[in-house]
């Protein structure tokens, strides 16, 4: 996974099943589906940390 230089950390785990999600070129606000449990997620940034949020937490 390629992490942009301005990102302090990347938390790649699904908030539903805690399995890591592999992404080639992650982009903010990308909606993805967890390949492990099928949950819909959104990639967001909070204080320089990228993480997946559950669908509906916008």
């Amino acid at each position: 996974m390629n992490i942009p230089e301005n990102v302090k950390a990347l938390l790649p785990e699904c908030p539903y099943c805690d399995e890591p999600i592999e992404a080639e070129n992650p982009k903010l606000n990308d909606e993805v589906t967890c390949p492990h449990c099928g949950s819909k997620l959104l990639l967001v940034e909070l204080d320089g940390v990228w993480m997946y949020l559950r669908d509906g937490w916008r």
Side-chain angles (χ1 to χ4, degrees):
M1 182 180 278
N2 298 328
I3 302 171
E5 290 181 22
N6 62 332
V7 177
K8 295 178 187 175
L10 175 66
L11 305 176
E13 293 82 18
C14 172
Y16 286 101
C17 67
D18 291 328
E19 292 292 327
I21 298 171
E22 293 292 326
E24 273 295 312
N25 296 309
K27 294 182 183 105
L28 286 177
N29 300 317
D30 271 358
E31 289 187 18
V32 299
T33 300
C34 177
H36 308 286
C37 68
S39 300
K40 290 187 179 184
L41 309 169
L42 183 68
L43 184 61
V44 299
E45 177 185 8
L46 297 171
D47 295 328
V49 178
W50 285 20
M51 66 185 74
Y52 288 102
L53 288 183
R54 298 176 186 197
D55 186 34
W57 280 55
R58 296 182 207 198

